[in-house]
Amino acid sequence: MKKIVAFVLLSTALFAEVNVQGHISLDSNFFIKAPSDKHQNNFTSKQEFELTYNSNEFDLYAKLYAQEDYYDFFASEHNHRSFVDLKEFYLSKEQGDYRVQIGKSVKFWGALEVMNIVDVFNTQDLRNDFLDNDRLGAYNAELTYFTESGEMSLIVKTNEVDQKMSAYPYVYYTFPKALSYNDNLQTEQGRNRPTIYATLNGSTDSEYPIDYAFIVQNGYDSQRYFSANGTTLSENAYLVNKFMTYNTFVIDATLVKLEALYTDVIDNKNVSDYMNIGLGVEHTLEILEDGSELGLIAEYYNYKTYDDTKFSDLDLYVTFQNDLFLGLRWSLNDVDDTKVVGGVVQDFDYHEQSYYVEYERRVGESFKLSADVRYIEPSLDTPTAFRSLGAHKRVAVEVGYYF
């Protein structure tokens, strides 16, 4: 692969533009409260490099990511969080009203703040903090047609990827210590059975504009379930028909957001058809003469299965099944792009609460500082995903150099 890329770049260098950018950062986590047999702190070095290549014939994009966990190199109990991954590598070509893209990519779908219900294209990477929602690249081919108000796409995804997971000493390892995780994905019709998406998105030209998106899917679901063989757990992927939408509606200084999906599980004895919906409102206030803004955010999430004899939300490790988020976003609109976001999530079914505050700003021309404080109070009597992690308080600081 390296030889092929080098040949392409050299052979068309006279007619092309190559741009390289990326960042190197150090992420530090300190757990004020955590299970006593898990690591009480964590240090991770991260490197990300992006390459874009434009010629008269095609465009190329590549993203290489690597990280190194302190405990994987300097401790006896490893976290299994050190790896190198070519997250994205694809070729694209535009011709008239059409674009063709082939390769490995990450696609983001959604509009809400805390959780994006319809962001289902890529598999979540569980080697990191699952609250950060890192995604693994997916192999796919995409044909897009541009309309006057948006675009339509047909996407074919192949090769369902294994969902890697950290090891037990890491705080965000999901399962009890007695259970081990086998990351070899089990599928109903083989991992190369195509998953097909048809998408339509666009915007209305009106006094109160609407951004809309509709997606229809046939293939493997992004939601998965675990099966046990003795003390070893394996992940299972099953086939579905899925119908999704995400939309935003602007009324003066208020943004209304909707994400919703309905999943028809084709034929699986363990998983029921299910519905997932999220509704959000964000109202922005200009609070100072310098232009800084305060956003008031409220979001509600609901998840429902339709067959009580099959797996419930608890069996599937669903974390937002009847939850309300109330939060604030403060944007200073200064030269350093300083932002603060925070809030609380209340679970009405299992009486869980989670709190967080995130801070982010640029330092000079090349550095970026981010920090957050998180506190999770899990259910006292129900085996939820948060209870399996245990109550914890975390302070995290990340410093990155960007070029």
Side-chain angles (χ1 to χ4, degrees), residues 17 21 23 77 183 279 375:
E17 179 180 348
Q21 61 183 20
H23 74 268
E77 288 189 305
D183 61 17
L279 178 64
Y375 171 51

Side-chain angles (χ1 to χ4, degrees), residues 79-98:
N79 285 335
H80 295 172
R81 297 184 57 246
S82 301
F83 60 90
V84 178
D85 184 19
L86 184 62
K87 280 189 176 289
E88 299 188 74
F89 184 86
Y90 59 82
L91 297 172
S92 62
K93 170 69 175 179
E94 287 194 19
Q95 187 70 43
D97 294 332
Y98 293 89

Side-chain angles (χ1 to χ4, degrees), residues 83-324:
F83 60 90
V84 178
D85 184 19
L86 184 62
K87 280 189 176 289
E88 299 188 74
F89 184 86
Y90 59 82
L91 297 172
S92 62
K93 170 69 175 179
E94 287 194 19
Q95 187 70 43
D97 294 332
Y98 293 89
R99 182 184 68 223
V100 177
Q101 180 176 303
I102 300 175
K104 186 180 184 182
S105 63
V106 174
K107 303 181 188 300
F108 172 78
W109 296 332
L112 293 167
E113 171 70 28
V114 177
M115 187 182 74
N116 296 111
I117 292 169
V118 300
D119 190 21
V120 301
F121 186 80
N122 298 94
T123 303
Q124 188 172 1
D125 190 342
L126 296 179
R127 288 172 291 191
N128 290 325
D129 174 359
F130 75 92
L131 300 170
D132 291 337
N133 207 23
D134 292 331
R135 298 290 179 171
L136 300 170
Y139 294 97
N140 66 95
E142 176 180 351
L143 174 63
T144 299
Y145 172 69
F146 298 100
T147 67
E148 292 185 358
S149 59
E151 60 187 52
M152 298 184 294
S153 296
L154 179 66
I155 309 170
V156 179
K157 181 174 71 171
T158 61
N159 189 32
E160 292 293 319
V161 298
D162 296 323
Q163 194 168 31
K164 306 291 186 181
M165 189 178 293
S166 58
Y168 183 80
Y170 185 53
V171 167
Y172 294 106
Y173 178 76
T174 305
F175 304 115
K177 186 176 184 179
L179 297 177
S180 61
Y181 173 67
N182 176 13
D183 61 17
N184 185 20
L185 178 66
Q186 308 300 304
T187 62
E188 290 185 338
Q189 294 185 9
R191 66 176 62 217
N192 286 316
R193 194 276 195 191
T195 296
I196 301 171
Y197 306 84
T199 74
L200 169 66
N201 62 73
S203 302
T204 62
D205 185 11
S206 60
E207 180 179 0
Y208 301 112
I210 300 174
D211 291 334
Y212 59 86
F214 300 94
I215 307 167
V216 179
Q217 173 191 345
N218 172 266
Y220 286 116
D221 198 2
S222 58
Q223 175 181 270
R224 296 171 177 176
Y225 69 92
F226 298 96
S227 59
N229 182 8
T231 60
T232 300
L233 296 176
S234 297
E235 191 174 47
N236 296 263
Y238 52 90
L239 298 173
V240 300
N241 295 309
K242 190 185 286 283
F243 309 90
M244 297 171 279
T245 184
Y246 62 96
N247 312 270
T248 59
F249 178 44
V250 179
I251 306 175
D252 298 326
T254 301
L255 179 66
V256 180
K257 300 175 281 188
L258 169 68
E259 293 188 31
L261 63 81
Y262 176 80
T263 303
D264 167 36
V265 179
I266 294 175
D267 184 19
N268 188 276
K269 65 180 181 180
N270 295 308
V271 184
S272 162
D273 296 350
Y274 65 92
M275 175 275 298
N276 206 347
I277 187 169
L279 178 64
V281 178
E282 181 172 347
H283 182 71
T284 301
L285 303 171
E286 187 170 313
I287 59 174
L288 295 174
E289 294 182 357
D290 61 5
S292 61
E293 297 176 337
L294 182 66
L296 311 177
I297 310 170
E299 295 179 348
Y300 174 72
Y301 298 86
N302 188 270
Y303 176 95
K304 179 181 179 180
T305 59
Y306 291 96
D307 188 342
D308 292 339
T309 66
K310 296 184 178 182
F311 285 161
S312 68
D313 59 279
L314 294 172
D315 300 313
L316 296 166
Y317 287 85
V318 175
T319 54
F320 284 76
Q321 81 297 327
N322 184 17
D323 295 60
L324 176 66

Side-chain angles (χ1 to χ4, degrees), residues 29-31 33-35 37-42 79 81 128-130 166-175 388-394:
N29 290 264
F30 305 93
F31 297 97
K33 182 177 183 180
D37 56 346
K38 290 187 175 183
H39 293 149
Q40 301 302 297
N41 52 57
N42 205 81
N79 285 335
R81 297 184 57 246
N128 290 325
D129 174 359
F130 75 92
S166 58
Y168 183 80
Y170 185 53
V171 167
Y172 294 106
Y173 178 76
T174 305
F175 304 115
S388 68
L389 294 176
H392 75 278
K393 300 177 183 178
R394 183 190 86 180

Side-chain angles (χ1 to χ4, degrees), residues 389-403:
L389 294 176
H392 75 278
K393 300 177 183 178
R394 183 190 86 180
V395 176
V397 178
E398 182 171 349
V399 179
Y401 169 72
Y402 287 74
F403 56 90

